[in-house]
């Protein structure tokens, strides 16, 4: 008697052919079908290019003072006008892209590392560890994110490095809650039980079986988190607790221009537009990644 596996079709004696899809290629294909995600990728790519090649792209030194050109409006010589010190605003915006990208990436790196680590521990081990971590999360969530970041910066001192640390710490609870919930769902799966029965240690199960299955939502949250970090970083600098003058940072530029809103509208308009466009692009890219990585949206 011949035993036929239920997973193999033997119609007309033809052997089945299995086709596996590369997950990276599949995500890129789905992103390419999303116009908003494509726009987000283009803007983010331009931001990265501006940050890397700022010294080659910017037509002027961003901190060099030139009183003769003070408060000139947009023109062919100064595309975005100048400030009261005669500094070219377009050049300062380009150099500001470097600072905003640093704030976004480093802040999200801090939040993601500690958030994922604590979320994995809370979700997998549960019990008193879970209770302790969730109590810490609830305490942090009792404060608005921007208020918590301001309090941390005020305690550490006003500078750019402390802004990155503050924004990263204030974003940790979101990663803990996301990863914890995903781990609590995944650890009930049959293959996790099989791994335990086969003698796999907890560290191996967490790193090789659970983490790859919860990393998708983390990537989406991190992409959206970069946008939030850039916005919060600019807000903190606007209030004078972040990067200090004459650093070409977008929040500082908006703050500098508030005294000249009627006389020199370009001082606040162009840095504000830079913040808005970058944050919007990051959100569009995050939404596209969410659609591409969420299996429920592919059905």
């Amino acid at each position: 008697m011949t035993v036929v596996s239920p997973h193999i079709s033997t119609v007309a004696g033809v052997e089945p052919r299995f086709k596996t899809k590369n997950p990276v290629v599949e995500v890129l294909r789905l992103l390419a079908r999303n116009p908003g995600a494509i726009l987000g990728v283009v803007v983010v790519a331009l931001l990265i290019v501006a940050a890397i090649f700022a010294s080659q792209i910017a037509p002027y030194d961003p901190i060099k003072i030139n009183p003769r050109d003070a408060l000139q409006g947009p023109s062919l010589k100064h595309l975005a006008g100048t400030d009261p010190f005669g500094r070219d605003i377009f050049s300062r915006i380009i150099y500001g892209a470097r600072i905003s990208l640093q704030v976004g990436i480093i802040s999200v790196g801090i939040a993601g590392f500690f958030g994922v680590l604590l979320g994995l521990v809370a979700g997998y081990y549960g019990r008193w560890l879970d209770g302790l971590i969730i109590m810490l999360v609830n305490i942090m969530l009792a404060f608005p994110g921007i208020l918590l970041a301001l309090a941390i910066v005020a305690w550490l001192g006003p500078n750019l490095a402390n802004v990155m640390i503050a924004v990263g710490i204030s974003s940790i609870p979101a990663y803990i809650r996301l990863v914890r919930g995903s781990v609590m769902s995944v650890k009930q799966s049959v293959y996790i039980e099989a791994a335990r029965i086969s003698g796999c240690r907890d560290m191996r199960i967490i790193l090789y079986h659970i983490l790859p299955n919860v990393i998708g939502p983390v990537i989406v949250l991190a992409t959206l988190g970069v946008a939030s970090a850039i916005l919060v970083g600019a807000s903190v600098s606007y209030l004078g607790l972040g990067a200090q003058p004459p650093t070409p940072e977008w929040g500082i530029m908006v703050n500098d221009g508030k005294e000249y809103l009627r006389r020199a509208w370009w001082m606040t308009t162009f840095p504000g537009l830079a913040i808005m466009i970058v944050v919007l692009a990051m959100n569009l890219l995050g939404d596209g990644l969410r659609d591409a990585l969420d299996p429920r949206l592919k059905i």
Side-chain angles (χ1 to χ4, degrees):
M1 183 178 69
T2 303
V3 179
V4 180
S5 171
H7 301 291
I8 301 178
S9 174
T10 55
V11 178
V14 178
E15 294 185 1
R17 300 175 64 184
F18 299 97
K19 183 179 179 181
T20 58
K21 295 182 178 180
N22 188 319
V24 176
V25 174
E26 183 68 10
V27 169
L28 293 177
R29 184 182 67 83
L30 292 173
L31 280 178
R33 295 168 55 184
N34 188 326
I38 294 175
L39 178 61
V41 170
V42 171
V43 174
V44 171
L46 291 176
L47 175 70
I48 295 173
V49 170
I52 296 175
F53 301 103
S55 58
Q56 286 78 32
I57 298 173
Y60 299 95
D61 188 326
I63 61 175
K64 185 177 181 180
I65 296 176
N66 187 7
R68 293 182 179 180
D69 293 335
L71 293 179
Q72 290 190 4
S75 63
L76 292 178
K77 183 179 179 181
H78 300 285
L79 296 178
T82 61
D83 64 8
F85 301 100
R87 297 175 299 196
D88 183 67
I89 292 177
F90 179 68
S91 299
R92 289 176 64 80
I93 289 175
I94 291 176
Y95 273 89
R98 179 178 295 177
I99 296 175
S100 295
L101 198 62
Q102 283 181 338
V103 171
I105 293 176
I106 294 177
S107 300
V108 166
I110 294 171
F113 176 79
F114 291 102
V116 170
L117 178 63
L118 293 174
L120 287 170
V121 171
Y124 186 79
Y125 291 104
R127 298 183 180 179
W128 67 271
L129 269 176
D130 183 33
L132 181 63
I133 293 173
I134 292 303
M135 183 179 67
L136 176 63
V137 168
N138 290 334
I139 293 173
M140 296 178 69
L141 290 176
F143 300 90
I146 182 66
L147 182 59
L148 182 59
L150 286 172
I152 296 172
V153 171
W155 179 52
L156 295 176
N159 61 57
L160 187 61
N162 291 340
V163 168
M164 299 177 192
I165 296 172
V167 175
I169 292 175
S170 65
S171 303
I172 288 176
Y175 291 87
I176 293 178
R177 296 180 68 183
L178 174 67
V179 174
R180 172 181 175 269
S182 300
V183 171
M184 293 179 70
S185 175
V186 170
K187 75 175 185 178
Q188 306 298 330
S189 303
V190 175
Y191 65 89
I192 299 298
E193 289 296 327
R196 288 197 189 100
I197 294 173
S198 64
C200 290
R201 296 183 177 180
D202 290 344
M203 185 61 67
R204 181 176 180 82
I205 293 175
I206 291 173
L207 294 180
Y208 290 93
H209 299 286
I210 293 180
L211 183 59
N213 288 282
V214 303
I215 201 66
V218 172
I219 293 174
V220 176
L221 182 59
T223 306
L224 298 173
V226 171
S228 300
I230 291 174
L231 192 58
V232 173
S235 301
V236 173
S237 295
Y238 175 85
L239 296 173
L241 295 175
Q244 300 299 305
T247 305
E249 200 275 337
W250 294 343
I252 292 178
M253 295 172 68
V254 173
N255 183 41
D256 291 342
K258 72 177 186 297
E259 302 293 338
Y260 301 87
L261 283 175
R262 296 187 178 183
R263 293 176 53 197
W265 55 268
W266 54 87
M267 287 185 60
T268 55
T269 300
F270 290 111
L273 282 175
I275 296 172
M276 183 195 73
I277 291 171
V278 170
V279 171
L280 176 61
M282 287 291 183
N283 284 325
L284 289 174
L285 177 57
D287 290 341
L289 285 172
R290 180 200 60 197
D291 297 342
L293 293 173
D294 192 341
R296 293 170 298 182
L297 299 177
K298 300 177 186 178
I299 299 176

